[in-house]
Amino acid sequence: MKKIIFVCLGNICRSPLAQAMMRKIVQENKATERYFIDSAGTGSWHIGKRSDTRMIKIGEKNHLVMDHLGQQIESYYGDAFDFIFAMDRDNQRNILQIIDEKHHHKVFLFRHFDTVGDSLDVPDPYYDELSGFENVYTIVKRNCEIIFSLLEKNAVKK
Ligand code: 4NP
């Protein structure tokens, strides 16, 4: 069982979308018994809250189940997960401060393996227009597909 978590700032836009996307890919590949997929935020503002309605709308339009409730990453998540994907470099820095050094090798940038564009970050859409959310969807879909195929080959390595 591979245990994976996606981490952004608020846990209401980028990371819950990645979680729903990866769950769909895993289901389509009949691999649900082999994966546990979760998401969290480095911030605490949206604990227990549903995702941003703009992100839910785009996800559902694309047949994703957007049912996550916000949670904040804690130090024991370093133990609990095998792969921790940070949605941008700010969050990666914060994650590395929260979890123990012995688990730092599990922390990857979500766009580390991306084949398109020249940024390593999934842009924070929270204060953006709807087009920002559409852009996040495109980036998240492409990278979840790349990451799933690498995970299946045990090739998620730095
Ligand atoms: P996310 O977006 O990190 O992709 O969930 C944000 C959501 C909320 C806030 C910032 C970013 N906020 O400041 O409340």
Side-chain angles (χ1 to χ4, degrees), residues 40-53:
T42 55
S44 62
W45 312 285
H46 305 287
I47 292 173
K49 304 267 175 61
R50 297 208 64 199
S51 299
D52 189 290
T53 51

Side-chain angles (χ1 to χ4, degrees), residues 13-155:
C13 301
R14 294 165 290 177
S15 64
L17 185 77
Q19 171 187 351
M21 182 74 71
M22 192 60 96
R23 282 188 177 159
K24 179 159 180 274
I25 292 170
V26 162
Q27 268 168 12
E28 286 170 352
N29 284 276
K30 303 191 181 0
T32 46
E33 296 96 82
R34 293 190 282 110
Y35 287 89
F36 177 77
I37 301 159
D38 204 352
S39 72
T42 55
S44 62
W45 312 285
H46 305 287
I47 292 173
K49 304 267 175 61
R50 297 208 64 199
S51 299
D52 189 290
T53 51
R54 298 165 291 181
M55 203 76 263
I56 291 178
K57 257 191 201 144
I58 290 174
E60 290 184 344
K61 191 175 81 185
N62 289 284
H63 315 291
L64 301 183
V65 180
M66 297 291 295
D67 61 356
H68 183 69
L69 299 179
Q71 59 172 343
Q72 186 177 27
I73 189 168
E74 296 188 45
S75 60
Y76 72 85
Y77 285 37
D79 252 325
F81 289 91
D82 304 309
F83 298 93
I84 300 170
F85 289 103
M87 304 309 284
D88 64 29
R89 284 167 290 182
D90 277 349
N91 284 297
Q92 183 186 40
R93 270 191 293 277
N94 289 331
I95 293 163
L96 292 173
Q97 300 205 322
I98 292 163
I99 68 166
D100 195 278
E101 216 165 301
K102 69 174 183 256
H103 299 301
H104 282 190
H105 65 281
K106 301 174 177 178
V107 180
F108 294 85
L109 262 181
F110 181 73
R111 292 190 73 179
H112 181 77
F113 307 99
D114 202 355
T115 50
V116 178
D118 53 10
S119 173
L120 289 169
D121 301 326
V122 183
D124 181 347
Y126 192 60
Y127 294 106
D128 206 346
E129 321 213 326
L130 212 52
S131 62
F133 285 81
E134 295 281 4
N135 184 41
V136 165
Y137 178 84
T138 303
I139 295 169
V140 163
K141 181 170 191 291
R142 181 174 69 241
N143 281 278
C144 279
E145 285 165 354
I146 293 169
I147 288 169
F148 178 73
S149 88
L150 292 173
L151 285 166
E152 287 288 274
K153 292 187 279 196
N154 292 316

